[in-house]
Amino acid sequence: MMETVVFDVGETLTRDDRYWASWADWLGVPRHTVSALVGAVVAQGRDNADALRLLRPGIDLAAEYAAREAAGLGEQLDETDLYDDVRPALAALRQAGLRVVIAGNQTARAGELLRGLDLPADVIATSGEWGVAKPQPEFFRRVLEAAQAPAERTVYVGDHPANDIGPAATAGLRTAHLRRGPWGHLWADQEAAEAADWRIDSLLDLLAVVGH
């Protein structure tokens, strides 16, 4: 029996549509151009932020992020950014007696916004707050601290085989690969994804997983 379920954020709980659209608007390029470039760099196994570097070579992303915040055009996150199965799945897991943790590679600001949504979760944390990001082993050590359960009784749920499934399994956690978003679909047949303990198409599928 599992005791804790830990969730990735981007394309697991939240859609990335708004995020990339806002960058397109900020850089003054069509939104489809950014989406297409994100898909291209993802297919090449590169950092998705390379899409922005292709559009503006030499871009200082940290400086641009700060400039967006200063202009009142920084990160936004609300109920419309959540996938439809998020609230019912998280609520059902807690009702079943499991601890629910959200921990992904996001900014500290994203952590604030997520907590503002009053999600049914016991802990919400981001790499920006922890000062360490996936796939680094230290990130998953922090995950286990937040989980308050043995690794073998903790499930990490994510869409990205290289950032989520592989390193979580290396840390001893059980894993559930979510076939959602560009990474989840494109790399569903990647070795790390295939090696996940469970492969799911909806967060609601986890209700059957946690009894194993």
Side-chain angles (χ1 to χ4, degrees):
M1 294 289 291
M2 297 299 105
E3 297 179 14
T4 302
V5 183
V6 186
F7 293 89
D8 169 47
V9 179
E11 291 303 334
T12 296
L13 302 182
T14 63
R15 299 176 177 84
D16 284 345
D17 306 52
R18 185 204 296 262
Y19 178 82
W20 292 115
S22 67
W23 272 110
D25 295 346
W26 177 255
L27 296 176
V29 298
R31 293 181 175 185
H32 175 68
T33 299
V34 173
S35 295
L37 286 174
V38 170
V41 297
V42 166
Q44 294 170 0
R46 296 163 60 181
D47 182 351
N48 54 20
D50 282 348
L52 304 180
R53 298 183 179 101
L54 288 171
L55 286 166
R56 186 178 292 179
I59 188 173
D60 184 333
L61 290 175
E64 292 293 329
Y65 181 88
R68 286 182 54 188
E69 289 288 342
L73 299 172
E75 285 188 84
Q76 298 180 43
L77 193 65
D78 61 30
E79 196 71 22
T80 64
D81 296 299
L82 297 176
Y83 279 101
D84 292 341
D85 58 0
V86 172
R87 284 194 182 276
L90 270 59
L93 290 168
R94 292 188 83 189
Q95 288 170 5
L98 282 94
R99 183 173 174 82
V100 173
V101 175
I102 296 171
N105 277 358
Q106 323 304 133
T107 64
R109 174 60 178 157
E112 296 174 1
L113 293 169
L114 283 166
R115 286 188 287 272
L117 294 178
D118 194 27
L119 292 166
D122 297 284
V123 175
I124 298 176
T126 66
S127 58
E129 294 166 327
W130 282 350
V132 62
K134 296 180 291 184
Q136 297 178 51
E138 179 59 27
F139 181 93
F140 290 94
R141 283 194 285 272
R142 297 294 298 269
V143 163
L144 282 171
E145 289 176 5
Q148 296 183 8
E152 66 272 15
R153 292 184 179 273
T154 301
V155 183
Y156 193 86
V157 184
D159 62 304
H160 198 304
N163 279 355
D164 299 328
I165 307 306
T170 297
L173 286 78
R174 307 296 295 277
T175 57
H177 179 254
L178 177 62
R179 186 180 168 88
R180 177 139 81 193
W183 297 269
H185 285 95
L186 181 63
W187 293 338
D189 296 328
Q190 191 182 71
E191 183 177 352
E194 292 182 330
D197 293 293
W198 299 279
R199 304 179 75 185
I200 60 176
D201 295 310
S202 166
L203 297 183
L204 293 169
D205 295 342
L206 291 166
L207 299 175
V209 165
V210 296
H212 290 230

